[in-house]
Amino acid sequence: MVQSHVDYFRPLELDERFTVEASLVWCDGARLNVEYRIDKADGTPAATGFTVQMFVDWRSREPYMVEPEIFLECKRRWREGVL
């Protein structure tokens, strides 16, 4: 993860139920942009935010400059309705 941001609107209690929605909104190369929304049980927003995530080589820890093969395969399967 290279960047994250959260806007807090209302607190959640320790035992309170809530819903988290995450949406992949944009990806280019070896990067993923994900937006998040957390809603209280009554539907009012508790927080929103986003993350920017990069793929890295698990051995060298160097970031990929292009989409890794596993990500390309996931996108292909998603377009075909498999995921």
Side-chain angles (χ1 to χ4, degrees):
M1 187 171 309
V2 295
Q3 185 178 12
S4 66
H5 176 83
V6 179
D7 290 309
Y8 297 99
F9 304 114
R10 291 173 187 80
L12 292 169
E13 300 293 327
L14 184 60
D15 62 348
E16 187 175 356
R17 293 196 176 269
F18 59 92
T19 302
V20 178
E21 181 179 303
S23 302
L24 178 63
V25 293
W26 176 75
C27 60
D28 185 28
R31 156 186 178 151
L32 300 174
N33 290 22
V34 181
E35 289 184 350
Y36 303 90
R37 179 183 173 105
I38 301 173
D39 289 333
K40 295 170 78 66
D42 66 2
T44 58
T48 60
F50 69 87
T51 59
V52 177
Q53 302 170 45
M54 297 286 296
F55 288 97
V56 296
D57 183 279
W58 70 276
R59 290 184 188 106
S60 69
R61 301 291 189 226
E62 292 293 318
Y64 284 102
M65 295 298 119
V66 297
E67 296 169 314
E69 190 61 40
I70 191 169
F71 185 54
L72 293 171
E73 177 65 15
C74 286
K75 284 186 1 181
R76 181 190 65 76
R77 294 178 67 199
W78 178 73
R79 286 187 194 109
E80 293 174 355
V82 178
L83 291 179

